[in-house]
Amino acid sequence: MPKTVLTTGANSGIGLATAIELARRGFRSVGTVRSAEKAEQVKEAAAAAGVKVETAILDVTNAAASKLVVDRLKPYGVVNNAGFPATGAIEDVDDDEARQVLETMVLAPMRLARLALPHMRRRHEGRIVNISSIYGLTTTPLSGWYQGSKHALEALSDALRMEIASSRVKVILVEPGGFKTGIWEENRKALASRGHSRYKKAYERSIQGTEMTQFLMGEPEKVARVVAGAMASSRPHTRYLVGYDAMMLAAMERVTPTAVKDRITRMTLGL
């Protein structure tokens, strides 16, 4: 029987590309979505790619539903990809929005990992791939809660990796840079909705900067190939930086003094 891999947030972008690539490599690929309409979109995209991707309706913040899905599938691998832009200056994000960010992109991935671990231990192998970001390694203004969630995901993944190493279950972080996904349009809408903020001009500059650089972004299939490769490898890396921009930003983070980085960023955004 092919090994089952569960990918969250599989209706578009990196999640959809990953679910399709996993199926192409011979896994039983199951993608979670939040509606029947999105499930149909996944099936159509998979059919167009010549593969089969199963779907499961799931809100990853629902603990009981998550347990039901994981216990039914007993996955060999989990790809924690579900998320949303979570843009806005710290001052503009209220408690409810901040909790939603943390529930979706920190608590939910760790819950799914915890639920899947007993099944992985029984087969003496497994893979937990957490989709982080270059913003799990560096920080910029106007999306602090998103970046905070990715920093938290990095730390939790590191701890989990060491805790379960003797179980032959691998924990892997994938850290993409900018890729052509729907998150940028969602970012634009979210920032535009904060038009009465004192940071309005900075938001406008951020949107302009993204629009000017979108042509440089890669396709999500590149990230999907990295994820699928890590899932199939007997000795995967603990981290995969994906994209030239991610590699450049990671290198700059190591060598650029904080005061210099802050100054350049503030000048760019008019802060």
Side-chain angles (χ1 to χ4, degrees):
M1 293 290 292
K3 295 175 179 176
T4 300
V5 178
L6 179 68
T7 302
T8 66
N11 57 286
S12 64
I14 290 172
L16 177 58
T18 295
I20 288 173
E21 182 64 23
L22 288 166
R24 186 176 286 124
R25 297 207 187 191
F27 291 99
R28 178 196 176 198
S29 181
V30 183
T32 75
V33 293
R34 297 185 64 176
S35 69
E37 180 183 2
K38 290 181 177 180
E40 191 59 33
Q41 292 172 2
V42 172
K43 292 177 182 177
E44 289 175 0
V51 297
K52 178 183 178 182
V53 174
E54 300 175 42
T55 56
I57 308 297
L58 177 65
D59 177 349
V60 295
T61 65
N62 185 321
S66 296
K67 185 175 185 342
L68 287 173
V69 169
V70 171
D71 286 348
R72 175 171 61 84
L73 295 173
K74 300 177 176 57
Y76 158 80
V78 173
V79 181
N80 284 305
N81 168 74
F84 58 96
T87 53
I90 300 299
E91 197 173 353
D92 287 343
V93 177
D94 62 26
D95 287 355
D96 288 340
E97 188 175 353
R99 287 191 188 96
Q100 187 180 9
V101 173
L102 297 175
E103 284 278 353
T104 304
M105 295 195 285
V106 180
L107 293 177
M110 291 300 106
R111 179 189 299 118
L112 286 170
R114 186 174 70 247
L115 292 171
L117 271 170
H119 304 294
M120 295 176 179
R121 282 199 176 99
R122 288 190 194 100
R123 64 163 57 89
H124 306 293
E125 62 176 352
R127 299 287 183 273
I128 297 167
V129 178
N130 292 328
I131 306 299
S132 180
S133 166
I134 181 56
Y135 289 125
L137 302 177
T138 187
T139 307
T140 59
L142 308 183
S143 56
W145 279 105
Y146 175 87
Q147 295 169 13
S149 73
K150 294 303 186 183
H151 278 265
L153 184 65
E154 294 262 340
L156 289 162
S157 298
D158 284 341
L160 181 64
R161 182 185 68 251
M162 291 181 279
E163 291 165 358
I164 65 174
S166 63
S167 301
R168 297 178 64 187
V169 176
K170 307 293 186 183
V171 180
I172 301 138
L173 282 159
V174 175
E175 301 156 333
F179 285 84
K180 295 176 183 177
T181 70
I183 196 170
W184 303 110
E185 179 60 21
E186 294 300 318
N187 265 337
R188 189 189 66 77
K189 291 178 181 177
L191 292 176
S193 72
R194 304 188 192 273
H196 299 294
S197 168
R198 64 176 293 172
Y199 301 97
K200 180 180 178 181
K201 289 185 178 179
Y203 289 150
E204 290 172 350
R205 288 194 181 190
S206 177
I207 292 169
Q208 290 168 1
T210 300
E211 290 174 347
M212 289 172 60
T213 57
Q214 273 194 317
F215 75 98
L216 296 171
M217 296 180 184
E219 299 296 334
E221 286 75 15
K222 181 175 181 178
V223 183
R225 289 192 291 271
V226 172
V227 174
M231 191 66 67
S233 174
S234 60
R235 298 182 66 182
H237 300 313
T238 56
R239 279 177 167 78
Y240 293 86
L241 271 171
V242 190
Y244 294 117
D245 58 336
M247 296 176 187
M248 179 185 70
L249 286 170
M252 289 176 62
E253 180 69 16
R254 289 191 292 268
V255 301
T256 307
T258 299
V260 173
K261 186 181 73 168
D262 286 1
R263 180 73 173 171
I264 293 171
T265 302
R266 289 177 59 209
M267 289 177 61
T268 301
L269 294 173
L271 290 169

PDB file of all heavy atoms in Angstrom, residues 164-182:
ATOM      1  N   ILE A 164      11.756  13.485  19.443  1.00  0.00           N
ATOM      2  CA  ILE A 164      11.239  12.244  18.855  1.00  0.00           C
ATOM      3  C   ILE A 164      12.251  11.556  17.950  1.00  0.00           C
ATOM      4  O   ILE A 164      11.907  10.613  17.233  1.00  0.00           O
ATOM      5  CB  ILE A 164       9.928  12.502  18.069  1.00  0.00           C
ATOM      6  CG1 ILE A 164      10.188  13.408  16.853  1.00  0.00           C
ATOM      7  CG2 ILE A 164       8.879  13.133  18.984  1.00  0.00           C
ATOM      8  CD1 ILE A 164       8.974  13.579  15.959  1.00  0.00           C
ATOM      9  N   ALA A 165      13.501  11.979  17.985  1.00  0.00           N
ATOM     10  CA  ALA A 165      14.516  11.417  17.083  1.00  0.00           C
ATOM     11  C   ALA A 165      14.640   9.906  17.220  1.00  0.00           C
ATOM     12  O   ALA A 165      14.846   9.196  16.230  1.00  0.00           O
ATOM     13  CB  ALA A 165      15.861  12.084  17.337  1.00  0.00           C
ATOM     14  N   SER A 166      14.504   9.390  18.437  1.00  0.00           N
ATOM     15  CA  SER A 166      14.660   7.947  18.640  1.00  0.00           C
ATOM     16  C   SER A 166      13.506   7.150  18.056  1.00  0.00           C
ATOM     17  O   SER A 166      13.589   5.930  17.926  1.00  0.00           O
ATOM     18  CB  SER A 166      14.780   7.633  20.136  1.00  0.00           C
ATOM     19  OG  SER A 166      13.600   8.008  20.827  1.00  0.00           O
ATOM     20  N   SER A 167      12.420   7.836  17.673  1.00  0.00           N
ATOM     21  CA  SER A 167      11.260   7.153  17.095  1.00  0.00           C
ATOM     22  C   SER A 167      11.379   6.964  15.594  1.00  0.00           C
ATOM     23  O   SER A 167      10.456   6.448  14.964  1.00  0.00           O
ATOM     24  CB  SER A 167       9.983   7.942  17.399  1.00  0.00           C
ATOM     25  OG  SER A 167       9.794   8.081  18.786  1.00  0.00           O
ATOM     26  N   ARG A 168      12.481   7.453  15.016  1.00  0.00           N
ATOM     27  CA  ARG A 168      12.702   7.377  13.566  1.00  0.00           C
ATOM     28  C   ARG A 168      11.674   8.202  12.791  1.00  0.00           C
ATOM     29  O   ARG A 168      11.339   7.907  11.658  1.00  0.00           O
ATOM     30  CB  ARG A 168      12.712   5.926  13.082  1.00  0.00           C
ATOM     31  CG  ARG A 168      13.841   5.092  13.674  1.00  0.00           C
ATOM     32  CD  ARG A 168      13.792   3.660  13.205  1.00  0.00           C
ATOM     33  NE  ARG A 168      14.002   3.560  11.771  1.00  0.00           N
ATOM     34  CZ  ARG A 168      13.866   2.425  11.079  1.00  0.00           C
ATOM     35  NH1 ARG A 168      13.536   1.309  11.707  1.00  0.00           N
ATOM     36  NH2 ARG A 168      14.061   2.413   9.781  1.00  0.00           N
ATOM     37  N   VAL A 169      11.166   9.220  13.453  1.00  0.00           N
ATOM     38  CA  VAL A 169      10.273  10.180  12.806  1.00  0.00           C
ATOM     39  C   VAL A 169      11.062  11.464  12.590  1.00  0.00           C
ATOM     40  O   VAL A 169      11.644  12.004  13.528  1.00  0.00           O
ATOM     41  CB  VAL A 169       9.021  10.458  13.669  1.00  0.00           C
ATOM     42  CG1 VAL A 169       8.152  11.530  13.009  1.00  0.00           C
ATOM     43  CG2 VAL A 169       8.223   9.184  13.883  1.00  0.00           C
ATOM     44  N   LYS A 170      11.099  11.942  11.356  1.00  0.00           N
ATOM     45  CA  LYS A 170      11.881  13.120  11.007  1.00  0.00           C
ATOM     46  C   LYS A 170      10.995  14.360  10.998  1.00  0.00           C
ATOM     47  O   LYS A 170       9.877  14.335  10.480  1.00  0.00           O
ATOM     48  CB  LYS A 170      12.524  12.957   9.630  1.00  0.00           C
ATOM     49  CG  LYS A 170      13.343  11.679   9.455  1.00  0.00           C
ATOM     50  CD  LYS A 170      14.575  11.673  10.329  1.00  0.00           C
ATOM     51  CE  LYS A 170      15.448  10.454  10.038  1.00  0.00           C
ATOM     52  NZ  LYS A 170      16.626  10.391  10.925  1.00  0.00           N
ATOM     53  N   VAL A 171      11.509  15.444  11.562  1.00  0.00           N
ATOM     54  CA  VAL A 171      10.825  16.738  11.535  1.00  0.00           C
ATOM     55  C   VAL A 171      11.628  17.679  10.641  1.00  0.00           C
ATOM     56  O   VAL A 171      12.829  17.888  10.870  1.00  0.00           O
ATOM     57  CB  VAL A 171      10.677  17.323  12.948  1.00  0.00           C
ATOM     58  CG1 VAL A 171       9.955  18.668  12.895  1.00  0.00           C
ATOM     59  CG2 VAL A 171       9.929  16.352  13.853  1.00  0.00           C
ATOM     60  N   ILE A 172      10.966  18.240   9.648  1.00  0.00           N
ATOM     61  CA  ILE A 172      11.654  19.002   8.606  1.00  0.00           C
ATOM     62  C   ILE A 172      11.002  20.369   8.458  1.00  0.00           C
ATOM     63  O   ILE A 172       9.767  20.474   8.417  1.00  0.00           O
ATOM     64  CB  ILE A 172      11.582  18.249   7.261  1.00  0.00           C
ATOM     65  CG1 ILE A 172      12.219  16.853   7.400  1.00  0.00           C
ATOM     66  CG2 ILE A 172      12.226  19.038   6.146  1.00  0.00           C
ATOM     67  CD1 ILE A 172      11.450  15.762   6.715  1.00  0.00           C
ATOM     68  N   LEU A 173      11.810  21.393   8.352  1.00  0.00           N
ATOM     69  CA  LEU A 173      11.328  22.751   8.095  1.00  0.00           C
ATOM     70  C   LEU A 173      11.633  23.141   6.656  1.00  0.00           C
ATOM     71  O   LEU A 173      12.768  22.991   6.192  1.00  0.00           O
ATOM     72  CB  LEU A 173      11.995  23.743   9.042  1.00  0.00           C
ATOM     73  CG  LEU A 173      11.439  23.793  10.470  1.00  0.00           C
ATOM     74  CD1 LEU A 173      12.470  24.389  11.418  1.00  0.00           C
ATOM     75  CD2 LEU A 173      10.140  24.583  10.516  1.00  0.00           C
ATOM     76  N   VAL A 174      10.634  23.650   5.956  1.00  0.00           N
ATOM     77  CA  VAL A 174      10.825  24.186   4.606  1.00  0.00           C
ATOM     78  C   VAL A 174      10.579  25.687   4.690  1.00  0.00           C
ATOM     79  O   VAL A 174       9.540  26.132   5.181  1.00  0.00           O
ATOM     80  CB  VAL A 174       9.870  23.522   3.601  1.00  0.00           C
ATOM     81  CG1 VAL A 174       9.992  24.178   2.227  1.00  0.00           C
ATOM     82  CG2 VAL A 174      10.168  22.032   3.503  1.00  0.00           C
ATOM     83  N   GLU A 175      11.549  26.472   4.219  1.00  0.00           N
ATOM     84  CA  GLU A 175      11.538  27.922   4.403  1.00  0.00           C
ATOM     85  C   GLU A 175      11.564  28.627   3.050  1.00  0.00           C
ATOM     86  O   GLU A 175      12.623  29.019   2.553  1.00  0.00           O
ATOM     87  CB  GLU A 175      12.751  28.330   5.245  1.00  0.00           C
ATOM     88  CG  GLU A 175      12.772  27.667   6.621  1.00  0.00           C
ATOM     89  CD  GLU A 175      14.153  27.567   7.247  1.00  0.00           C
ATOM     90  OE1 GLU A 175      15.153  27.523   6.488  1.00  0.00           O
ATOM     91  OE2 GLU A 175      14.225  27.524   8.481  1.00  0.00           O
ATOM     92  N   PRO A 176      10.397  28.803   2.432  1.00  0.00           N
ATOM     93  CA  PRO A 176      10.355  29.448   1.115  1.00  0.00           C
ATOM     94  C   PRO A 176      10.520  30.959   1.211  1.00  0.00           C
ATOM     95  O   PRO A 176      10.204  31.589   2.226  1.00  0.00           O
ATOM     96  CB  PRO A 176       8.947  29.105   0.598  1.00  0.00           C
ATOM     97  CG  PRO A 176       8.377  28.113   1.556  1.00  0.00           C
ATOM     98  CD  PRO A 176       9.076  28.331   2.849  1.00  0.00           C
ATOM     99  N   GLY A 177      11.004  31.530   0.109  1.00  0.00           N
ATOM    100  CA  GLY A 177      10.954  32.974  -0.063  1.00  0.00           C
ATOM    101  C   GLY A 177       9.636  33.338  -0.724  1.00  0.00           C
ATOM    102  O   GLY A 177       8.595  32.775  -0.408  1.00  0.00           O
ATOM    103  N   GLY A 178       9.685  34.275  -1.665  1.00  0.00           N
ATOM    104  CA  GLY A 178       8.469  34.697  -2.354  1.00  0.00           C
ATOM    105  C   GLY A 178       8.152  33.814  -3.542  1.00  0.00           C
ATOM    106  O   GLY A 178       8.983  33.640  -4.439  1.00  0.00           O
ATOM    107  N   PHE A 179       6.936  33.268  -3.555  1.00  0.00           N
ATOM    108  CA  PHE A 179       6.481  32.453  -4.681  1.00  0.00           C
ATOM    109  C   PHE A 179       5.103  32.917  -5.123  1.00  0.00           C
ATOM    110  O   PHE A 179       4.382  33.563  -4.353  1.00  0.00           O
ATOM    111  CB  PHE A 179       6.467  30.972  -4.301  1.00  0.00           C
ATOM    112  CG  PHE A 179       7.842  30.364  -4.261  1.00  0.00           C
ATOM    113  CD1 PHE A 179       8.637  30.473  -3.138  1.00  0.00           C
ATOM    114  CD2 PHE A 179       8.356  29.720  -5.379  1.00  0.00           C
ATOM    115  CE1 PHE A 179       9.915  29.948  -3.106  1.00  0.00           C
ATOM    116  CE2 PHE A 179       9.635  29.194  -5.373  1.00  0.00           C
ATOM    117  CZ  PHE A 179      10.421  29.311  -4.239  1.00  0.00           C
ATOM    118  N   LYS A 180       4.746  32.610  -6.353  1.00  0.00           N
ATOM    119  CA  LYS A 180       3.495  33.092  -6.937  1.00  0.00           C
ATOM    120  C   LYS A 180       2.306  32.307  -6.385  1.00  0.00           C
ATOM    121  O   LYS A 180       1.921  31.270  -6.912  1.00  0.00           O
ATOM    122  CB  LYS A 180       3.555  32.964  -8.463  1.00  0.00           C
ATOM    123  CG  LYS A 180       4.609  33.856  -9.097  1.00  0.00           C
ATOM    124  CD  LYS A 180       4.715  33.621 -10.597  1.00  0.00           C
ATOM    125  CE  LYS A 180       5.817  34.469 -11.205  1.00  0.00           C
ATOM    126  NZ  LYS A 180       6.000  34.202 -12.652  1.00  0.00           N
ATOM    127  N   THR A 181       1.762  32.801  -5.302  1.00  0.00           N
ATOM    128  CA  THR A 181       0.593  32.181  -4.687  1.00  0.00           C
ATOM    129  C   THR A 181      -0.431  33.264  -4.387  1.00  0.00           C
ATOM    130  O   THR A 181      -0.159  34.460  -4.505  1.00  0.00           O
ATOM    131  CB  THR A 181       0.964  31.470  -3.370  1.00  0.00           C
ATOM    132  OG1 THR A 181       1.278  32.461  -2.380  1.00  0.00           O
ATOM    133  CG2 THR A 181       2.162  30.542  -3.560  1.00  0.00           C
ATOM    134  N   GLY A 182      -1.601  32.844  -3.959  1.00  0.00           N
ATOM    135  CA  GLY A 182      -2.678  33.793  -3.654  1.00  0.00           C
ATOM    136  C   GLY A 182      -2.427  34.633  -2.423  1.00  0.00           C
ATOM    137  O   GLY A 182      -3.165  35.595  -2.165  1.00  0.00           O
TER     138      GLY A 182
END
